[in-house]
Amino acid sequence: MALPDDPLISLRAELTVLHRTLVEAELVVWTAGNVSARVGGDRFLIKPSGVPYADLTPQSMVLCDLDGHPVEEGALKPSSDVYAHAYVYRHRPDVGGVVHTHSTYATAWAARDEAVPCVLTAMADEFGGEIPVGPFALIGGEEIGKGIVETLESHRSPAVLLRNHGVFAIGASPRAAVKAAVMCEDVARTVHVSRQLGEPLPLAPSDVDHLYDRYQNAYGQ
Ligand SMILES: [Zn+2]
């Protein structure tokens, strides 16, 4: 029997709450989207496949190894994006959480294969530059994970738009990854609206650096 302070139990509960956050932030509909959380060094928990958000429970989250295979007897089938998440965890030891959404504005940029340009201080803060677009890849294999890792290698952004698909966001924790997904949709919407009014002005790279450094290292309590 697991003890009540078992970190796996609290992580299952946190992951359930974070999935609710995606719904509240209107980043997901029906069963689309998912959050995962690294457990120790070589496991992660992820949303079960095709289960509506309202039906998610801590127990329904699927514990997988870093190849994306469930490790517990009788577990539900993991999200169809499980291999993409697994690839990210294998190649980015700094990542503790991964989020995937088809949030409307960000995905509209992805559908046009256009990065969201860094024209807002909030973007400089959170993303340290543009939110890049990664390659198109079919769901189900490792190609999506490879696209995420390779695209983010050359960017400070914790979010990437996968062409014709949607958003993947990463973070040191699952909560940080959810925050990046929420912020990604927020700035994608603002920059889109700005575009309707004219051409948004880019921030100077030195200002982006300054804002990013302050927000990442000095902001908050
Ligand atoms: Zn998707």
Side-chain angles (χ1 to χ4, degrees), residues 32-34 81 100-102 139 144 165-166 168:
N34 41 69
D81 293 308
H100 174 49
T101 80
H102 301 156
I139 199 168
I144 288 180
H165 185 171
F168 275 87

